[in-house]
Each structure stands twice: as C-alpha cells, then as structure tokens.
Amino acid sequence: MKIIIGLGNPTREYQATRHNIGFDAITRLCDDYDIRLSRAHKALCGSGYIGGEKVILAQPQTYMNLSGICVREMVDYYKLTGEDIIVICDDIHLDVGQLRIRKKGSAGGHNGIKNIIEQLGSEEFMRIRIGVGEKPEKWDLVDYVLGRFPKEEEPLIREALERTSKACECIIGEGIEAAMNRYNQKPRKAEL
C-alpha cells in the first residue's frame, strides 16, 4: 500500500494557489481513479486502487507548516515506512509545470517537507515536486506562493497535474527509477 499526500493549506482562501498545487494533484488523482475523500487522520483521505495497488490519497488539514503531523499519524496507523510514502508539493525553483521526482532528499526550503522530515525523523520518502516558477524580483515569497497562477500558465498547470497523476501510477507500477526517467524533464513550450 502507498500513501500519496498532496501538500497545501485548507480553507477556501488558499484554493488554486501555487502553494496548494499538491492538493490540486490529489484532486486530479481522485478524478482519474474514482476516489472520494472524507475526514480522517487530520486530513481529507480516500482509499482506492492505482495500478492494481491499494492507495490512500490525502490532503492534510493541518496547514502546510504542520503537514508532518498528519503524515506521522497515517504512517503509524497503517504501519508503513518511508518507502510507502509519496509527497506532492510545489517548488519555486522549477519552471512552471516542470516535475522533479526524487526517492529522498532535503526539504529544499519547503516548510511542509521540512515538517514531514522532522516528524518522521527521516528524509527517506518519495516526493514529486511541481514547478510553480520563481518569484519575480521584489515580490514577497509568501505573497507569491499564496497567489494564483495567471491565465497564461493554467494550461501548463493542467498538463503538469495530468503528468503527476501518470507519474504516481508509474511509481506504483514500474518503480521510482522509471518515473524519474520518464517525468523529470522540462515541459515542452508551445511553439509560436
């Protein structure tokens, strides 16, 4: 069994913001695999099957900086290890729509990932980072990540969410190495 956790902030004011791209990815997975979410483990969770394997999808309701509380509770409840966890989050160091899949690693400045590492006592869990683009000069970082994507970036985000869903299926069915080889590429720019 795998737990796929999309990071974000609860409440309507944060919907569709750059920082909530992890929540958006879980919504896409729910749509693609007919999974419904309900409250459990300090999250909105749902179970189903992806690639023939049972999965739990989760959107922590603890706010981004405390995401690890929810993850720890789920890992303890289901008696899983870091190898069973896939975390999906935003990354300002990647171009809009670019994916970066890793087996493990540091928080890279992401407070949600940092809290998960603290709660688990390990960096040994898979993650899919979705690029939201670098903040413009003179912008406050918080204002940027809590802002919404401009209309011209929406097609890139929709495509990134589709690729994220496929990447999760690839990780589950073929392994993380296959997913890294297939999806760790910059998205193609539309030709003018």
Side-chain angles (χ1 to χ4, degrees), residues 47-98:
S47 64
Y49 290 86
I50 296 177
E53 184 168 340
K54 185 168 184 180
V55 297
I56 305 292
L57 304 181
Q59 295 172 329
Q61 299 296 292
T62 52
Y63 287 90
M64 181 69 78
N65 295 352
L66 299 175
S67 298
I69 294 170
C70 161
V71 175
R72 171 89 264 163
E73 187 172 312
M74 294 178 73
V75 165
D76 290 347
Y77 182 83
Y78 293 106
K79 299 182 179 14
L80 300 174
T81 68
E83 292 178 0
D84 303 312
I85 301 169
I86 302 168
V87 176
I88 306 170
C89 66
D90 61 301
D91 192 323
I92 61 166
H93 303 295
L94 298 174
D95 291 343
V96 174
Q98 182 180 355

Side-chain angles (χ1 to χ4, degrees), residues 127-159:
R127 70 262 340 244
I128 301 173
R129 293 178 179 265
I130 303 173
V132 297
E134 205 164 327
K135 77 171 182 69
E137 213 175 305
K138 298 183 181 176
W139 273 53
D140 178 72
L141 180 59
V142 172
D143 290 342
Y144 181 70
V145 296
L146 295 181
R148 288 174 170 71
F149 293 100
K151 200 171 211 80
E152 62 270 14
E153 290 178 353
E154 289 175 4
L156 289 171
I157 294 306
R158 280 194 297 274
E159 184 185 332

